Amino acid sequence: MNHIDENIIRLMQLKGVGRQKVKQLLDMITVPQSLNLKEIVEIGQTFHIISKQIGQSDLDASINETKRLIDECDQLGIRYISYLADGFPACLNFSDNPVLLYYQGDLEVLNQPKRAAVIGSRSPSQMGSDFAFQAGKVLAENNFVVISGLAVGADFAGHTGCLAADGKTVAILPSGLAPVYPASNRGLAEKICDQGGCLISEYNHHEMIQPYKFIERDRLQSGTSQFVIVSNFAPGSGTIHTLDYANKYKRPIYSIPLIYEESRDGFNYLSQKGIGFKIVENTGLAQLIENY
């Protein structure tokens, strides 16, 4: 791991310092790679980004904790990369991008030219599950990397559809990579990596799962994709967050008439929020994918 990656992990261990503060701080330093942790923190304190109450003992603790994390990641087969490092996927350089990723598998798949998300309810109808599976399969057959969140339901179907067509898929998790969440999909996670895809997360394996992390994960699903295919969903569901981000990042949203009929309340809610979407027949969606 290079010097700046290590310092970003250290910064993230400090009280009150998260992704946005790290990015705000490092983006204002001309060559952050040339500075040590103490120098970066002192600049942050000068500009009131980092609390002045953080002292040397806090820096020592963050250095020790980072060493422990690095050693454990090595043992668990988890790698890490910062947004300032060579090899950070270009598709992750969007507004509100991650500053640090933990990953397993081949991160290079995110540099593939064609990427699309397949998302939807954790409890889809049989039609919704079949649609997500077929969407993942058709995308893979047309050399798309399929992006989803490893959740049960539509995510599971989208990933497995892609794998069934010998495609590569990326699972973005709302938790650390050891153990994989949810436990019921750990076998799927292994297949994703075995087949040349990857698992990614902004969170190390010591962090607790919290509701806001699911929303943070949703922004990455939309941000890394060129468009989003949605199966069943309802107003107030987590799927809404992903679609909201898709709208923010100007990623087209597609579905089919049968899903629209089953999830009319969800689509009406999108319209009320001013989130655009396109409902196309199955053949039209397949043609769109083939001609993309």
Side-chain angles (χ1 to χ4, degrees):
M1 181 173 63
N2 68 37
H3 179 67
I4 191 60
D5 289 359
E6 186 171 346
N7 275 336
I8 288 176
I9 295 176
R10 289 168 173 171
L11 286 168
M12 300 287 278
Q13 309 310 310
L14 298 175
K15 184 176 181 180
V17 180
R19 179 186 80 249
Q20 293 176 341
K21 285 190 175 182
V22 168
K23 191 168 191 301
Q24 179 187 2
L25 173 57
L26 296 184
D27 284 357
M28 65 186 292
I29 300 173
T30 304
V31 189
Q33 294 89 336
S34 67
L35 303 180
N36 62 37
L37 178 65
K38 185 175 182 180
E39 290 168 334
I40 293 173
V41 169
E42 286 175 347
I43 293 172
Q45 291 174 327
T46 299
F47 289 94
H48 307 289
I49 297 171
I50 294 178
S51 170
K52 292 191 175 182
Q53 294 183 354
I54 290 176
Q56 187 60 51
S57 62
D58 300 299
L59 301 187
D60 291 341
S62 77
I63 290 170
N64 291 335
E65 176 60 15
T66 296
K67 184 180 184 307
R68 181 165 76 105
L69 280 173
I70 291 170
D71 290 344
E72 290 176 354
C73 284
D74 287 344
Q75 294 168 10
L76 294 165
I78 297 171
R79 289 172 284 179
Y80 23 74
I81 188 169
S82 81
Y83 78 116
L84 294 175
D86 293 338
F88 189 77
C91 70
L92 284 163
N93 286 319
F94 55 87
S95 62
D96 198 22
N97 62 284
V99 297
L100 183 73
L101 287 179
Y102 295 90
Y103 68 97
Q104 290 178 308
D106 186 3
L107 190 65
E108 180 64 24
V109 297
L110 280 172
N111 288 321
Q112 295 289 331
K114 299 200 290 186
R115 305 170 309 279
V118 177
I119 64 168
S121 171
R122 286 177 173 78
S123 53
S125 66
Q126 185 61 55
M127 182 191 303
S129 181
D130 291 344
F131 171 63
F133 180 92
Q134 288 300 322
K137 184 171 182 290
V138 172
L139 285 165
E141 289 170 345
N142 287 276
N143 299 314
F144 276 84
V145 171
V146 174
I147 295 168
S148 199
L150 203 74
V152 297
D155 287 12
F156 177 89
H159 286 305
T160 53
C162 175
L163 294 173
D166 295 325
K168 296 181 180 181
T169 181
V170 175
I172 304 176
L173 278 66
S175 59
L177 301 181
V180 162
Y181 175 88
S184 60
N185 282 349
R186 288 174 188 168
L188 172 60
E190 291 178 5
K191 289 180 183 178
I192 287 172
C193 291
D194 289 344
Q195 201 160 303
C198 71
L199 315 176
I200 66 174
S201 176
E202 292 184 272
Y203 310 108
N204 70 58
H205 54 281
H206 287 173
E207 294 191 48
M208 299 289 291
I209 296 175
Q210 298 183 49
Y212 80 88
K213 293 178 181 176
F214 288 86
I215 300 173
E216 295 275 84
R217 179 271 303 277
D218 293 342
R219 91 184 194 286
L220 297 188
Q221 291 183 104
S222 291
T224 55
S225 303
Q226 291 160 305
F227 58 86
V228 175
I229 296 175
V230 63
S231 184
N232 299 127
F233 69 103
S237 67
T239 302
I240 295 291
H241 296 298
T242 309
L243 299 176
D244 203 4
Y245 281 116
N247 182 62
K248 177 180 178 182
Y249 299 141
K250 296 181 170 47
R251 308 301 197 252
I253 298 166
Y254 298 106
S255 195
I256 61 171
L258 291 174
I259 297 298
Y260 178 82
E261 291 301 325
E262 286 194 342
S263 301
R264 186 179 289 271
D265 289 347
F267 285 105
N268 286 342
Y269 183 70
L270 291 186
S271 295
Q272 293 168 14
K273 287 175 65 69
I275 298 174
F277 54 87
K278 294 180 181 180
I279 305 299
V280 294
E281 296 289 346
N282 286 52
T283 53
L285 183 57
Q287 289 175 355
L288 184 151
I289 292 169
E290 291 168 6
N291 297 328
Y292 197 87

